[in-house]
Amino acid sequence: ATDGGRFSTRNLATTAHRVAKLGGRRRDLVRRDPRVAALADACARRASDFEPQHLANVAWAFAKAGVAAPRLFDAIAAVAQPRLGEFNPQDFAN
């Protein structure tokens, strides 16, 4: 995940979701894994390319996994705020 440009935003969001699912059981390992940090960086760099659903899924995934990713959350907030009208209720529920 060091080169997030090789993956579609859907792939990045799906990977983040899988990390969150794993993080529920192995949260301590996930938080320290450099690949998870690289995934967060890739998602932050590409935040403006994500569809609203994928932004919501990525935010949910990193919060659920308990991964500190302030740069990612700042990027999501910056991109999502002007696009709030594009989100549907399910996106907000996540």
Side-chain angles (χ1 to χ4, degrees), residues 4 12-13 16 38-48 50 58 62 72 75-76:
L12 291 170
L39 177 61
D41 287 342
C43 290
R45 282 193 309 274
R46 305 251 337 258
S48 63
F50 280 80
V58 168
F62 279 90
L72 171 60
I76 290 172

Side-chain angles (χ1 to χ4, degrees), residues 8-64:
S8 72
T9 54
R10 180 183 300 251
N11 293 146
L12 291 170
T14 300
T15 302
H17 186 267
R18 300 289 190 263
V19 166
K21 291 293 188 175
L22 176 65
R25 294 183 291 271
R26 309 288 308 263
R27 191 175 256 195
D28 56 327
L29 295 176
V30 168
R31 286 180 184 159
R32 294 189 310 254
D33 193 319
R35 294 170 296 185
V36 174
L39 177 61
D41 287 342
C43 290
R45 282 193 309 274
R46 305 251 337 258
S48 63
D49 299 333
F50 280 80
E51 294 178 23
Q53 178 185 359
H54 297 144
L55 284 173
N57 290 348
V58 168
W60 171 87
F62 279 90
K64 177 74 173 171

